[in-house]
Amino acid sequence: MKNNFRAVSLSHKNAPVEIREVIALDEGSIHSLLVKMKDFFSITDTLILSTCNRTEVYYSHELDLSTEIIKLIGLEKGLPNVVDYLEYFKIFNKDKEAVDHLFKVSMGLEAQVVGDMQISNQVKRAYQVSADLDMAGPFLHRLMHTVFFTNKRVVQETAFRDGAASMSYAAVELIEELTSNIYQPRILLIGVGEIGEDVAKNMVHIPEAKVTITNRTYEKAKDLGDELGFEVIPFEDCIEAMKKADVVVSSIMKSEPFITKTLVKGMDIPSYKLFVDLSVPRSVETSIEDVPGAILYNVDNIRSKASATLEKRLAAIPQVEEIIGQSIDDFYNWKKEMMVSPTINKLKNALEQIRLEEMERFLKNADQSQIAIIDKITKSMMQKILKVPVVQLRAACQRDEANKMIEIISDLFDLEKVNEKKS
């Protein structure tokens, strides 16, 4: 039975944020889950992607391990009832479906904000983790490099990534709209991970805003603040800063909400205070909306305004899909050729073995110049003999008849016997 590339996906398309935050995996959990999958199932090609919008596991195996993988996620997250979440997962058990899904996710076609630029970096980091743990074999290496090359083509050949449209940018658009009647709105950014940093950089679109940054690692906030000209405060001072801010944007990773209803009730809100929660798991309690004047938006209800940028991206989707289709075809042509490579190598080794044996047999008394000439002639003959079966094998790949041709050539040249003799 051959290995199939498969995927287990939980995303914003089939699960609300209250489910996604329960399943979301941090860096340590991803590392631990990869090791468990390697130990339990001997999987060599695995990729785990966990963002605010999705948690996905891609893997190669002869068996459908989706339920076992979901149970492992539950074990990792301390969820004894994880099977209750099965309905929220989408399973891709067909090789091409899983590959197609990975391409669409990586290009931003499946993003909440179409064409979101952050996803390509998140996929690269996921791949690096797999490579570091030796969880990426030749198949995944080739697949991911094809994905990265496709991403470059999309950037260079289409308008799909033009402009600044991402979840972070959508948040900034929302802030701009809701603070349009406030002179120099005071905006506090809590957390400067990838999303927080992107929000900070997009604040250029609200030039009159007074932006303050805080982060658990002060140095990281200081570097970003110095670069953008924003005020930076120690993390322990952020509660006090929150009381003064018109807008609080939180993108920190915590297992429990950082901004609670009790905390917000203690603030004096004269008119309204906007809280934007870009964290998954969520870092702001939804119940803060019970507090008069507190307005909360999270990753599921932030929507970018219909802009010229997004319209251009939507118009470019057919072009992006065409590029993806070409890349997938190229990848599967490589995969087919990989299938016949061992047979080609065995045939080369078998013919080379015959050539060397015959040279040794007949050239015992020949001088070096004679040996060199005959070596050159026999190598040339061997290449010409190889040419036809190699061409036929590759042609059989394109016709999906590789197995039949491999069997014929193996029998014809008795490759299994030659290989056993050599070993």
Side-chain angles (χ1 to χ4, degrees):
M1 196 182 292
K2 68 174 184 177
N3 281 2
N4 273 342
F5 189 63
R6 308 168 190 269
V8 178
S9 169
L10 181 139
S11 75
H12 66 95
K13 291 201 166 185
N14 48 335
V17 67
E18 55 264 30
I19 300 296
R20 299 200 308 275
E21 68 183 355
V22 172
I23 301 297
L25 300 165
D26 59 20
E27 194 174 318
S29 297
I30 289 172
H31 186 285
S32 177
L33 187 59
L34 282 168
V35 171
K36 284 186 176 73
M37 288 178 68
K38 187 176 185 179
D39 290 345
F40 294 174
F41 307 118
S42 301
I43 298 175
T44 53
D45 281 312
T46 315
L47 181 83
I48 299 178
L49 179 65
S50 193
T51 71
C52 61
N53 283 328
R54 65 186 64 251
T55 295
E56 297 183 329
V57 179
Y58 297 85
Y59 67 101
S60 287
H61 203 273
E62 61 185 24
L63 301 175
D64 171 12
L65 300 174
S66 52
T67 303
E68 287 80 359
I69 288 169
I70 292 167
K71 286 179 180 176
L72 277 181
I73 292 173
L75 183 66
E76 194 61 44
K77 297 287 293 183
L79 299 170
N81 63 331
V82 72
V83 289
D84 294 345
Y85 298 96
L86 286 174
E87 64 182 287
Y88 296 104
F89 285 87
K90 186 170 183 180
I91 310 301
F92 299 88
N93 267 324
K94 291 185 178 176
D95 199 280
K96 287 194 175 181
E97 285 182 359
V99 168
D100 183 66
H101 182 68
L102 177 58
F103 270 91
K104 286 180 176 176
V105 166
S106 302
M107 297 310 117
L109 284 173
E110 297 288 314
Q112 208 166 31
V113 177
V114 176
D116 194 323
M117 292 170 288
Q118 290 168 341
I119 188 65
S120 58
N121 288 329
Q122 291 163 338
V123 171
K124 281 181 183 176
R125 282 201 303 275
Y127 167 56
Q128 188 61 56
V129 172
S130 293
D132 289 346
L133 290 174
D134 200 23
M135 294 286 285
F139 177 92
L140 189 61
H141 282 306
R142 180 73 179 213
L143 177 59
M144 296 313 298
H145 285 289
T146 306
V147 166
F148 302 146
F149 176 72
T150 305
N151 187 53
K152 283 184 181 178
R153 282 194 63 191
V154 167
V155 171
Q156 293 167 358
E157 299 175 27
T158 77
F160 191 62
R161 293 283 175 77
D162 289 0
S166 65
M167 179 61 68
S168 308
Y169 184 66
V172 172
E173 282 189 319
L174 173 72
I175 293 166
E176 182 181 24
E177 186 176 322
L178 295 181
T179 60
S180 58
N181 61 341
I182 300 176
Y183 175 68
Q184 294 186 333
R186 295 162 296 181
I187 300 171
L188 174 65
L189 306 182
I190 305 173
V192 289
E194 184 179 355
I195 291 177
E197 182 178 341
D198 205 37
V199 170
K201 288 179 177 177
N202 277 310
M203 280 295 163
V204 67
H205 299 288
I206 316 178
E208 71 279 9
K210 289 185 171 293
V211 182
T212 301
I213 301 176
T214 187
N215 192 58
R216 279 176 285 197
T217 305
Y218 180 80
E219 291 73 18
K220 190 172 182 182
K222 185 76 167 62
D223 290 344
L224 185 63
D226 289 347
E227 177 190 340
L228 300 174
F230 295 155
E231 182 186 359
V232 180
I233 61 170
F235 190 73
E236 53 267 26
D237 294 343
C238 72
I239 302 297
E240 208 52 45
M242 221 182 288
K243 295 175 182 177
K244 300 174 185 175
D246 300 302
V247 180
V248 177
V249 181
S250 178
S251 60
I252 58 175
M253 285 290 290
K254 283 181 74 71
S255 55
E256 297 293 329
F258 174 63
I259 300 173
T260 63
K261 180 180 177 180
T262 303
L263 177 64
V264 175
K265 277 178 75 174
M267 298 178 184
D268 179 22
I269 303 177
S271 55
Y272 71 87
K273 191 185 293 285
L274 174 63
F275 293 86
V276 180
D277 186 1
L278 299 178
S279 312
V280 176
R282 288 172 291 182
S283 57
V284 183
E285 275 186 349
T286 54
S287 57
I288 70 161
E289 291 191 292
D290 296 338
V291 179
I295 301 171
L296 173 63
Y297 283 83
N298 61 35
V299 293
D300 270 4
N301 49 35
I302 290 173
R303 292 290 183 271
S304 189
K305 293 181 293 186
S307 62
T309 295
L310 279 177
E311 285 170 14
K312 280 172 70 179
R313 290 187 174 201
L314 292 171
I317 286 176
Q319 197 179 354
V320 174
E321 288 176 335
E322 185 180 347
I323 291 172
I324 288 173
Q326 291 167 1
S327 293
I328 290 175
D329 287 344
D330 289 344
F331 174 73
Y332 273 95
N333 286 336
W334 167 84
K335 189 185 176 191
K336 288 172 182 175
E337 292 213 2
M338 279 293 290
M339 186 179 173
V340 300
S341 289
T343 302
I344 292 172
N345 288 331
K346 283 180 185 178
L347 182 56
K348 283 181 179 177
N349 291 336
L351 293 177
E352 177 67 5
Q353 189 176 329
I354 293 169
R355 189 184 77 84
L356 293 175
E357 286 173 357
E358 294 304 296
M359 282 192 63
E360 185 180 355
R361 180 179 167 195
F362 289 105
L363 297 179
K364 288 178 181 176
N365 299 319
D367 60 35
Q368 286 303 312
S369 62
Q370 290 172 322
I371 291 171
I373 291 169
I374 294 171
D375 183 61
K376 186 175 181 181
I377 292 169
T378 53
K379 278 183 178 175
S380 177
M381 288 174 65
M382 192 181 87
Q383 290 300 321
K384 288 185 177 179
I385 292 167
L386 270 171
K387 186 175 181 181
V388 173
V390 167
V391 167
Q392 290 298 324
L393 273 168
R394 286 178 174 155
C397 281
Q398 302 309 314
R399 302 192 304 268
D400 289 323
E401 295 174 358
N403 283 327
K404 184 179 177 182
M405 188 61 68
I406 287 170
E407 194 176 323
I408 291 169
I409 290 176
S410 295
D411 288 346
L412 187 63
F413 291 92
D414 206 4
L415 295 184
E416 295 306 321
K417 187 176 177 182
V418 170
N419 199 50
E420 285 171 14
K421 183 180 173 183
K422 189 178 177 186
S423 58

